[in-house]
Amino acid sequence: MTRNAVFLIFPFQDRRLRKKTYSPPLVLRDTHIFYWTQGRPSISMGGMITIHDLEFNETLMARITKAIKAEPNISRRRLSQQICQWMDWRSPNGKFKEVSCRKALAELHRRKLITLPDCGVYPFHARRARLSELPALFPVECSLAELGPVELVPIHSASSKNSRIWRALLDAHHYLGSGPLCGAQLRYLVWSERFGWLGGLSFSAAAWRVRCRDEFISWSEEARTHALQRVVNNSRFLIAPVVKVPGLASHVLAQCCRRLADDWQERYAYRPVLLETFIERGRFSGTCYRAANWRHVGATTGRGRQGTGATVKDVYLYPLCDDWQSILCAMQDGAVSTRRKLPEREPADWLEEEFGGAPLGDKRLVGRLMQLGEAFFSKPTANIPQACATGAAAKAAYRFFDNSEVSMDAILTPHFEATEQRLRDHECVLVAQDTSTLNYTHHPATSGLGPINTTKDNAIGLLLHDTMAFTPDGAPLGLLDVQVWARDKAEAGKRHRRHEKPIEEKESFKWLSSYRKVCDVQARCPATRLIVMADREADIHELFVESLKIRKSAELLIRAEKSRNRATADEETHIQSLWPRIEAVKPAGIVAFSVPPRPDRPARQARLEVRFAPVTLKAPRRKSSLPDVPIHAVQVKEIDAPTTIDDPLEWMLLSTLPVTTFEEAQTALRRYARRWGIEVYHRVLKSGCRIEDRQLGAATRLENCLAIDMVVAWRIHHLTWLGRETPELPCTVFFDDAEWKALVGFIHQTPVVPTVPPTLREALIMVATLGGFLNRKSDGEPGTVTVWRGLQRLDDITKAYIAFVLRPQQPPPAVSGNPTYG
């Protein structure tokens, strides 16, 4: 074999490679040969083969062959021990990597690079019997306090009595049995002084590759290979069926999380930093993990480890230290290697920045996504065939929305990441959550919809809950989370039973889910303070408790619901309702506040009386197990309101940030007023984009289309804000030469355009004029909807300007005109 030999390995030539698809063939030079061993690539480089992180060169393989010839009956275990001694292959705890070496030898034997002696066959009676001792279990039904102390008993030896008890318990009561467990492992028994054995649990090696987990960690392939051993899997967890103690499972998990890193280091000489577990859907709900502050990050695909099909499992993670992400993403040389690598070049335009990195599995799908984004931006109020301009493009759009590889999460992933990068440039970012309904009653044939209002009006559609980041000045930075779902028709009219369900099974869990996503961003952006804002619907005690649980949590600024009149306690534990408590405080001052107009009332300047005080929110009676939450309350109440106003302004804001001065209370008021930006965004999304007019036949297709519309709507919202707040910028920051020249020429009815482009504000007023804006003195600044309509007309005007004024040359053919080409 020559040094410069070139090998081509095409897709699907080997059955084992069919799970992994490559677009081009792999071109391997200099005798670099790729193998796949249990899902891990092994590379042969000039006679060097790497399997299970162990390197075998030609000299070592010749030495192995010589050892086998000298001792033909040598066992594979003894041979692997010898090789580890020769090469000094050791684990972090100092022991030889005998198991990894044995697996590598088996792979070399399968590849016919070496010939191993046959495995020994032992009679059944000679094998060590795996005895088990099922202990007597006592029925327990009491509270956690009545149960008394609970102890975790570690199992140090596989042959010990406790090990046999553990195996017997799991084999008898766990649906997966006691094993086998993979790789390094620790097992525990749960013991009560009063009632004996209560259950058991185990931790073992992490899954090699899980998409949602790897995306949450954001590590690169190199970092994952290097640091995977620091992720530990909770592979078994059992509380005996006869033990019925509310809160016991989460209590045991919390105990184990506190001691596991120390126990693991004692046994294996390194500390894990992240725990994972998989909860089978339909069998378990994962309530105990959520109660123990484990984070739900997604679900498996359901393909199974061997790709033969398995049930879908929810993935939960629990960090064991604050700097877990930097540890997992660190390489051997100390460099940090993450998925979010800096691009080799700046994005060509905003479409590439917001859509270009979508994980759709095929570059052609990403290209189609950017084409659709451009079409929707150019003609936001048009339907899909009109926006796509041609029948072929419209057909391709429908195929895109129906593609199984396309999902809302995949489309929005690059936009989420771009938003995160934008907010890093600010010291403080306001994050608004809100819910809106999408009414598709006029499209009843669409599958996957559900009721959206009361049972009387029979309206059907989808519910949208989104989370958008704003600067303190109100500039929309982009979305951080989007949830879309359809209500179950069978659950309609059962609101009275809501108190019987845990928070995870209610719609109100949407607030906690989005808040957790924002906290994840907060952990990755420690230099930026994130403040989550929401209206009265988010006034749920679990949300405030969540802020206490999460490390490096985002701050909260929530408007309280007056009808709930939450109970509070002072330092002397006197119980008093929230509103009377704050109204008894002396006013700190009066502020002027601009109230925006509504259809039933004009805009006005309101005078607000401000009060504030620290309070402790008591847990509701039905949720007495939840802790009390210390918080700061700010009340603003309109005084001297006009007699024509039926509902004077009155807000009670609950803030996790300290409010101890009048200036801090004013800051909280100004911040919460910025929450109105997400209401404007929803109006733009519905009126400008007309998402409720989409006809796609299925809710999943609507979601994919909605994802594009949401990014486009944010773009228009951001453009309108820039025109107001930075009016002197040149319009070229948003419009290319052909667009602004066509705009100026059309507005002034002249083919002669100025050499200096107009300002951004001037250009936006001209665009809004195309959309119906009259630009009178009393009209104020143009709104987002008129700007959106004007952009639609500007697209057609620009095309006409290019065709009849610029008259571009015909582009050369993309390929050779030779009819035999290809």
Side-chain angles (χ1 to χ4, degrees):
M1 184 179 295
T2 62
R3 178 66 175 170
N4 295 322
V6 177
F7 296 88
L8 298 180
I9 301 180
F10 289 90
F12 311 120
Q13 285 188 343
D14 191 317
R15 290 183 179 179
R16 293 184 305 276
L17 295 177
R18 291 182 182 176
K19 302 299 179 185
K20 187 77 174 181
T21 305
Y22 300 92
S23 297
L26 297 177
V27 181
L28 310 176
R29 298 181 181 272
D30 297 337
T31 67
H32 289 43
I33 305 172
F34 276 71
Y35 296 115
W36 284 89
T37 307
Q38 299 179 356
R40 306 188 184 190
S42 304
I43 308 172
S44 172
M45 305 179 62
M48 180 73 73
I49 297 177
T50 302
I51 305 176
H52 294 289
D53 297 328
L54 304 179
E55 295 181 351
F56 293 82
N57 55 27
E58 296 178 356
T59 303
L60 178 58
M61 288 190 286
R63 188 175 181 183
I64 294 171
T65 302
K66 183 177 180 181
I68 295 173
K69 288 182 179 179
E71 193 175 350
N73 295 325
I74 188 172
S75 68
R76 298 188 181 188
R77 180 180 182 183
R78 175 59 184 155
L79 179 62
S80 63
Q81 290 174 345
Q82 285 188 6
I83 297 172
C84 289
Q85 290 176 359
W86 297 342
M87 307 304 295
D88 196 27
W89 286 337
R90 297 179 183 272
S91 300
N93 60 1
K95 296 182 179 180
F96 287 122
K97 296 183 177 180
E98 185 262 327
V99 176
S100 297
C101 183
R102 202 186 318 166
K103 292 180 180 179
L105 290 176
E107 178 61 21
L108 293 174
H109 174 75
R110 189 179 65 81
R111 293 286 178 179
K112 298 183 179 180
L113 296 176
I114 62 174
T115 302
L116 294 176
D118 294 335
C119 296
V121 179
Y122 301 95
F124 178 79
H125 61 80
R127 300 177 186 175
R128 184 178 64 179
R130 293 177 59 86
L131 301 177
S132 61
E133 297 183 9
L134 184 62
L137 300 177
F138 299 97
V140 183
E141 190 166 357
C142 62
S143 67
L144 187 60
E146 294 171 339
L147 180 65
V150 176
E151 180 185 356
L152 287 175
V153 180
I155 298 174
H156 299 289
S157 172
S159 59
S160 65
K161 180 179 179 180
N162 284 347
S163 178
R164 295 194 294 271
I165 293 174
W166 186 91
R167 287 200 304 269
L169 280 174
L170 273 291
D171 286 333
H173 301 294
H174 198 284
Y175 77 107
L176 294 177
S178 62
L181 306 179
C182 300
Q185 56 193 257
L186 279 177
R187 294 179 294 161
Y188 297 91
L189 284 168
V190 184
W191 169 261
S192 167
E193 293 182 357
R194 296 182 58 188
F195 299 100
W197 302 115
L198 303 177
L201 66 167
S202 67
F203 295 83
S204 52
W208 173 246
R209 191 190 304 275
V210 182
R211 179 176 178 177
C212 60
R213 178 203 66 188
D214 296 340
E215 290 178 351
F216 180 80
I217 297 173
S218 299
W219 54 9
S220 65
E221 287 293 310
E222 298 83 359
R224 182 179 58 81
T225 302
H226 171 64
L228 183 63
Q229 64 179 354
R230 291 186 177 271
V231 180
V232 176
N233 180 266
N234 177 207
S235 48
R236 298 289 188 276
F237 186 25
L238 169 72
I239 298 296
V242 296
V243 179
K244 300 178 181 180
V245 180
L248 174 60
S250 58
H251 177 67
V252 170
L253 281 173
Q255 274 198 49
C256 204
C257 293
R258 287 194 292 268
R259 66 174 294 173
L260 180 74
D262 294 331
D263 292 347
W264 198 275
Q265 184 172 33
E266 182 180 352
R267 176 171 294 188
Y268 296 108
Y270 66 91
R271 296 180 70 85
V273 297
L274 184 68
L275 303 181
E276 69 176 14
T277 195
F278 303 93
I279 307 299
E280 184 175 330
R281 285 188 179 178
R283 187 185 294 270
F284 306 106
S285 61
T287 305
C288 65
Y289 287 92
R290 289 192 291 268
N293 296 331
W294 289 57
R295 185 71 54 81
H296 178 258
V297 298
T300 62
T301 59
R303 289 195 296 267
R305 180 175 300 205
Q306 305 300 331
T308 56
T311 56
V312 175
K313 297 184 178 181
D314 289 304
V315 182
Y316 287 82
L317 301 179
Y318 184 86
L320 296 177
C321 59
D322 290 338
D323 56 346
W324 61 273
Q325 189 176 35
S326 59
I327 294 174
L328 293 179
C329 294
M331 302 295 290
Q332 290 182 341
D333 58 0
V336 176
S337 180
T338 67
R339 287 174 181 260
R340 295 183 177 88
K341 295 181 179 179
L342 293 175
E344 297 178 359
R345 60 176 178 81
E346 290 294 324
D349 52 22
W350 74 271
L351 289 164
E352 184 176 349
E353 183 176 6
E354 307 302 326
F355 294 123
L360 299 178
D362 192 327
K363 292 183 178 180
R364 294 171 297 180
L365 289 177
V366 178
R368 177 63 63 186
L369 171 61
M370 290 192 288
Q371 291 175 7
L372 290 173
E374 182 179 14
F376 285 12
F377 182 77
S378 299
K379 297 181 179 180
T381 61
N383 58 34
I384 292 176
Q386 291 173 337
C388 294
T390 66
K395 186 176 181 180
Y398 289 122
R399 286 201 305 265
F400 176 86
F401 294 134
D402 199 38
N403 194 308
S404 60
E405 296 297 323
V406 177
S407 66
M408 170 175 273
D409 289 340
I411 293 173
L412 290 175
T413 292
H415 175 68
F416 292 157
E417 295 182 357
T419 301
E420 184 173 325
Q421 292 300 323
R422 285 189 285 268
L423 63 83
R424 291 174 185 267
D425 298 330
H426 303 272
E427 294 182 359
C428 179
V429 170
L430 309 177
V431 183
Q433 290 192 49
D434 198 26
T435 305
S436 183
T437 58
L438 306 179
N439 193 332
Y440 294 101
T441 307
H442 47 293
H443 302 309
T446 303
S447 62
L449 303 179
I452 56 174
N453 293 323
T454 64
T455 56
K456 296 180 180 179
D457 60 11
N458 294 322
I460 59 173
L462 298 172
L463 281 90
L464 167 67
H465 185 83
D466 50 356
T467 303
M468 177 166 281
F470 296 87
T471 66
D473 295 331
L477 299 176
L479 297 163
L480 288 175
D481 182 52
V482 174
Q483 302 174 58
V484 177
W485 71 96
R487 285 176 176 152
D488 187 357
K489 295 180 181 179
E491 295 295 321
K494 298 182 179 179
R495 187 174 182 273
H496 61 282
R497 299 178 56 185
R498 65 190 184 278
H499 299 301
E500 302 173 7
K501 297 180 180 180
I503 185 66
E504 292 80 7
E505 298 178 12
K506 298 179 182 179
E507 274 189 6
S508 53
F509 186 69
K510 62 190 176 185
W511 303 102
L512 277 73
S513 179
S514 288
Y515 178 67
R516 290 172 178 175
K517 295 288 182 64
V518 177
C519 288
D520 294 338
V521 176
Q522 178 69 86
R524 295 191 293 266
C525 306
T528 302
R529 171 181 286 176
L530 302 182
I531 303 174
V532 177
M533 306 180 300
D535 60 10
R536 291 170 292 183
E537 189 184 349
D539 183 13
I540 53 177
H541 197 72
E542 289 87 347
L543 181 60
F544 297 105
V545 172
E546 193 75 11
S547 67
L548 300 178
K549 293 180 180 179
I550 299 178
R551 300 185 182 96
K552 300 181 180 178
S553 62
E555 305 293 346
L556 288 172
L557 183 59
I558 308 298
R559 183 182 172 189
E561 172 59 64
K562 189 172 184 178
S563 62
R564 294 175 186 168
N565 206 4
R566 305 282 297 277
T568 65
D570 56 18
E571 296 179 357
E572 299 179 358
T573 68
H574 294 157
I575 307 300
Q576 189 178 7
S577 296
L578 176 61
W579 252 262
R581 171 80 178 276
I582 301 301
E583 288 177 347
V585 176
K586 182 180 178 181
I590 296 175
V591 298
F593 184 76
S594 298
V595 181
R598 290 195 322 198
D600 58 342
R601 72 182 184 194
R604 71 181 189 277
Q605 196 76 5
R607 297 177 69 244
L608 304 179
E609 200 172 53
V610 180
R611 295 175 173 86
F612 58 88
V615 297
T616 299
L617 295 179
K618 300 290 294 182
R621 287 176 296 176
R622 291 188 178 93
K623 305 171 184 178
S624 57
S625 61
L626 297 177
D628 298 341
V629 178
I631 210 160
H632 291 262
V634 180
Q635 185 197 40
V636 293
K637 191 172 183 179
E638 186 175 2
I639 57 176
D640 303 328
T643 56
T644 57
I645 301 300
D646 296 330
D647 53 343
L649 188 65
E650 182 180 7
W651 290 349
M652 181 75 74
L653 306 179
L654 302 176
S655 172
T656 57
L657 285 170
V659 180
T660 57
T661 64
F662 181 55
E663 288 73 18
E664 290 176 341
Q666 289 179 287
T667 300
L669 174 61
R670 286 194 299 269
R671 286 171 174 170
Y672 184 78
R674 293 299 184 186
R675 195 201 69 84
W676 180 248
I678 199 168
E679 303 278 1
V680 175
Y681 171 73
H682 285 164
R683 188 171 67 244
V684 171
L685 194 59
K686 292 184 179 182
S687 301
C689 191
R690 299 173 63 183
I691 55 175
E692 294 177 323
D693 292 337
R694 302 295 192 195
Q695 301 182 45
L696 291 168
T700 54
R701 301 171 196 160
L702 286 172
E703 290 178 13
N704 295 337
C705 184
L706 175 62
I708 302 176
D709 283 327
M710 294 186 76
V711 177
V712 172
W714 159 78
R715 178 71 175 177
I716 300 296
H717 191 22
H718 183 63
L719 171 60
T720 307
W721 183 90
L722 278 182
R724 296 180 180 181
E725 301 299 325
T726 56
E728 300 306 318
L729 285 176
C731 69
T732 52
V733 299
F734 253 83
F735 301 98
D736 59 30
D737 284 348
E739 287 176 329
W740 74 261
K741 289 178 180 178
L743 175 64
V744 173
F746 184 85
I747 293 295
H748 297 290
Q749 295 295 298
T750 175
V752 181
V753 295
T755 56
V756 179
T759 64
L760 183 58
R761 182 179 182 275
E762 292 170 343
L764 280 181
I765 289 177
M766 287 187 280
V767 170
T769 301
L770 297 177
F773 181 64
L774 299 179
N775 196 22
R776 298 170 298 193
K777 290 184 178 180
S778 59
D779 288 339
E781 296 294 327
T784 308
V785 175
T786 55
V787 170
W788 197 312
R789 292 171 182 164
L791 286 173
Q792 181 180 5
R793 291 194 62 195
L794 178 61
D795 180 64
D796 294 330
I797 294 170
T798 303
K799 289 179 180 178
Y801 178 80
I802 293 174
F804 297 105
V805 178
L806 298 183
R807 296 177 181 175
Q809 297 295 324
Q810 195 71 16
V815 296
S816 171
N818 189 338
T820 62
Y821 181 84

